[in-house]
Structure formats: structure tokens, C-alpha cells
Amino acid sequence: MRNTLLDPYEDIPRIAVVTANDYPASSTFPSHTHRRSQFAYAASGTISVFTARENLVVPPQRACWIPAGIDHEMHMRGPVTMLNAFFTPTLPAPQDYPMAVGWLEYPPCYRTC
């Protein structure tokens, strides 16, 4: 089981920090924030993301964008392998990324990387 915690890397002087984690079914992360924007990819399994304004279901092979400082909660619906990229808040998000929490679609070729 992979389990890379972000906390030791939150202040590392790099634009991006990448983590890979495996979670058992029904794992939850209570409400929390990050100092970095989060790109959360469900390599396998389904993730439910809850914020004060939105609820998202992130199915396998899809991702969501959570801007820095947004309070969110995550629930794993079954076993989940989640890959994350955390970006410094000073780095502008790609033009088509939402300024709020949002679900992302991307080309199939990315899924093979």
C-alpha cells in the first residue's frame, strides 16, 4: 500500500509536489485545506468530494481540481488509488481550470501515463 503524506512537502520550494496513495474502502478525510492547489486523480475507485458550495463524484480515470485554501472533505467509495499533484498557489491554473472546485475531463492519452 502506498501512502505518501503531503505535510512534509507542503513547504518544499518546488512548483509541484506529486503523491500516490492507496486507500481502503470507506476511508475518509474530514474537512481540511491545503496551501497548494490540488489536482486529484482517481486512478481506480471513486472519490466523493464535498465543499460548502459543491459536491462532486470523481469516477475512475477522472480528476478534480481543488484550488488552494478551499475547505474540502473526501470519501473513498470502495478501494481507491489516488494520484495527486499539488501546485503552489502562485502558479496560475491552466486557463480552462475552474477557479472553484471542479471535475475535469482530459484526453485519453493522459490515462496511459
Side-chain angles (χ1 to χ4, degrees):
M1 174 180 274
R2 291 174 288 200
N3 192 4
T4 307
L5 300 175
L6 175 63
D7 289 345
Y9 307 104
E10 191 83 78
D11 295 316
I12 203 165
R14 292 187 182 154
I15 291 173
V17 173
V18 178
T19 64
N21 294 291
D22 295 313
Y23 300 104
S26 302
S27 294
T28 61
F29 290 94
S31 192
H32 65 284
T33 62
H34 301 287
R35 292 188 300 274
R36 295 172 175 260
S37 296
Q38 180 180 8
F39 177 86
Y41 172 69
S44 65
T46 300
I47 306 165
S48 294
V49 180
F50 304 95
T51 71
R53 298 177 65 188
E54 300 163 282
N55 295 331
L56 297 173
V57 174
V58 183
Q61 304 290 306
R62 299 291 188 274
C64 71
W65 176 255
I66 305 168
I70 298 288
D71 196 23
H72 62 287
E73 184 175 319
M74 292 183 152
H75 296 234
M76 308 307 151
R77 306 294 179 197
V80 170
T81 296
M82 181 169 37
L83 309 177
N84 289 293
F86 293 93
F87 298 95
T88 59
T90 56
L91 182 72
Q95 190 172 13
D96 57 342
Y97 278 26
M99 293 308 294
V101 174
W103 184 84
L104 301 172
E105 177 64 65
Y106 50 92
C109 65
Y110 287 178
R111 296 180 197 147
T112 62
C113 298

